[in-house]
Amino acid sequence: MEGGRWAIAVHGGAGVDPNLPMERQEEAKRVIGRCLQLGIDALRTSPNVRAIDVVELVVRELESDPVFNAGRGSALTEEGMVEMEASIMDGCGRRCGAVSGLTTVKNPVSLARLVMEKSPHSYLGFRGAEAFAKAQGVELVENDYFITDENVGMLKLAKEANCIMFDYRVPLTAVETCGASVSSDNALRMNGLPIGVYTQETVGCVVVDSQGRCAAATSTGGLMNKMIGRIGDSPLIGSGTYACDACAVSCTGEGEAIIRATLAREVAALMEYKGLSLQEAVDVAVEERLDDGGKAGLIAVSSDGKVAYGFNTTGMFRGCATQDGFMEVAIWE
């Protein structure tokens, strides 16, 4: 697509607590807006910039800010440490890289890209991923770098309530009632088991550059109080992340439901096989392809410069922009 139109979208997670304090809403929107502008500037500055470079740039910035659940500020496991995961995909040739179980890599998305470009594999996890990181000379930090005092306190509350929490930046009253909520008949469930508060904050970015090249990247710390070794949708190509010649998609939400639906790939398949537009494909994927009760959101761009999003939760932290001047940073519908 010589001389095509670029577009970009960023998300900071779907499933926002409707009672989230206004100052936290504004803080999240400021971070989304700053990271979105970083991507816009990169796309405007050079007509030859590649989509894959922009998604890595933006997600690195999101990982470096503790506001969202990726990189610094990641959720804690049941043992009180951080295990991070990320993936990246270039629609050109459908090249991809993914990592899981990271405890010392400062920017997981960049290690995922190195897996794609510097290894014979598409996915590395845990000890092997950490060894690869050291061999590649990426920046490593102590696990304490990722942990905040707030996270430690929220993990304590989650343990006291005996629940997994999808977000640790919700009003304390919601956390304090977590134990009661999971025992009710109306409790949210994951793989049939009741869970606690539903408002996770995975981050992601999708871009189509001026040459029509699509790329996507997703990064997360996972669930607060999750089991050691748990892997969600974010590093799974086709589930949390996907890019091809037609589009790029990054998902967020109930990981197990997204995995079962292969949600990101579903958007591309609906476009390729049914001839749906980008927004039509996003709507069908979110509204019809998730299991009953599955909660998720996603952002997407198409090779012709369109941008779209969809979610079936109460809100989704998001921002998007196109070359023709459209720009939005929002949380609610």
Side-chain angles (χ1 to χ4, degrees):
M1 281 187 57
E2 190 69 31
R5 297 184 302 159
W6 58 257
I8 180 173
V10 179
H11 75 73
V16 185
D17 190 315
N19 298 313
L20 190 68
M22 186 58 64
E23 60 270 23
R24 295 201 173 208
Q25 294 184 38
E26 293 304 316
E27 180 183 35
K29 288 170 69 174
R30 282 195 297 272
V31 174
I32 290 288
R34 187 185 78 240
C35 295
L36 177 64
Q37 191 62 53
L38 185 67
I40 292 171
D41 292 345
L43 289 162
R44 283 176 175 167
T45 300
S46 172
N48 297 318
V49 68
R50 297 181 63 86
I52 193 71
D53 296 324
V54 180
V55 295
E56 181 187 8
L57 174 72
V58 171
V59 173
R60 278 180 63 94
E61 186 69 14
L62 287 162
E63 289 174 340
S64 299
D65 195 302
V67 166
F68 293 111
N69 175 14
R72 185 164 179 256
S74 285
L76 304 179
T77 69
E78 60 188 355
E79 294 185 357
M81 65 183 297
V82 165
E83 285 186 352
M84 301 166 292
E85 49 196 24
S87 63
I88 191 167
M89 189 165 188
D90 189 344
C92 295
R94 289 182 294 182
R95 301 182 307 142
C96 58
V99 289
S100 287
L102 300 183
T103 59
T104 65
V105 177
K106 188 173 183 181
N107 289 108
V109 69
S110 291
L111 186 63
R113 184 169 183 182
L114 286 171
V115 170
M116 177 179 75
E117 296 182 341
K118 301 294 184 181
S119 86
H121 307 302
S122 295
Y123 196 156
L124 293 175
F126 298 88
R127 185 168 61 87
E130 294 279 348
F132 178 71
K134 292 178 183 177
Q136 292 296 313
V138 304
E139 185 173 3
L140 304 177
V141 294
E142 295 296 324
N143 199 253
D144 288 349
Y145 163 82
F146 304 104
I147 299 173
T148 67
D149 290 340
E150 183 178 24
N151 295 3
V152 173
M154 296 306 280
L155 176 63
K156 181 175 183 290
L157 289 171
K159 286 184 173 295
E160 290 173 352
N162 192 30
C163 72
I164 295 171
M165 295 198 313
F166 278 89
D167 183 34
Y168 42 94
R169 296 176 181 83
V170 297
L172 291 182
T173 53
V175 179
E176 289 162 357
T177 58
C178 180
S181 68
V182 298
S183 63
S184 72
D185 292 337
N186 296 321
L188 290 162
R189 293 176 179 271
M190 177 178 288
N191 279 350
L193 300 175
I195 53 90
V197 180
Y198 181 84
T199 46
Q200 70 293 346
E201 295 180 341
T202 294
V203 304
C205 179
V206 292
V207 168
V208 56
D209 60 35
S210 60
Q211 305 303 309
R213 298 171 297 216
C214 297
T218 312
S219 182
T220 189
L223 310 178
M224 181 64 75
N225 200 26
K226 66 182 180 181
M227 294 175 65
I228 290 289
R230 183 261 183 182
I231 295 172
D233 67 287
S234 295
L236 300 185
I237 299 302
S239 293
T241 304
Y242 191 75
C244 60
D245 290 338
C247 65
V249 184
S250 175
C251 299
T252 173
E254 183 188 338
E256 280 67 10
I258 293 171
I259 291 168
R260 292 192 296 272
T262 55
L263 195 63
R265 169 58 186 158
E266 192 71 17
V267 174
L270 288 163
M271 294 178 69
E272 293 170 357
Y273 302 136
K274 297 196 71 173
L276 300 188
S277 69
L278 180 68
Q279 188 64 64
E280 289 171 338
V282 167
D283 290 343
V284 170
V286 172
E287 295 169 10
E288 300 181 16
R289 295 300 192 258
L290 292 163
D291 296 344
D292 289 344
K295 300 294 183 181
L298 62 85
I299 53 174
V301 294
S302 59
S303 59
D304 60 353
K306 299 291 196 308
V307 64
Y309 62 82
F311 54 92
N312 63 0
T313 58
T314 54
M316 180 171 72
F317 297 109
R318 65 192 185 276
C320 52
T322 61
Q323 188 168 339
D324 61 13
F326 172 76
M327 181 175 177
E328 176 188 62
V329 176
I331 301 175
W332 314 112
E333 186 62 73

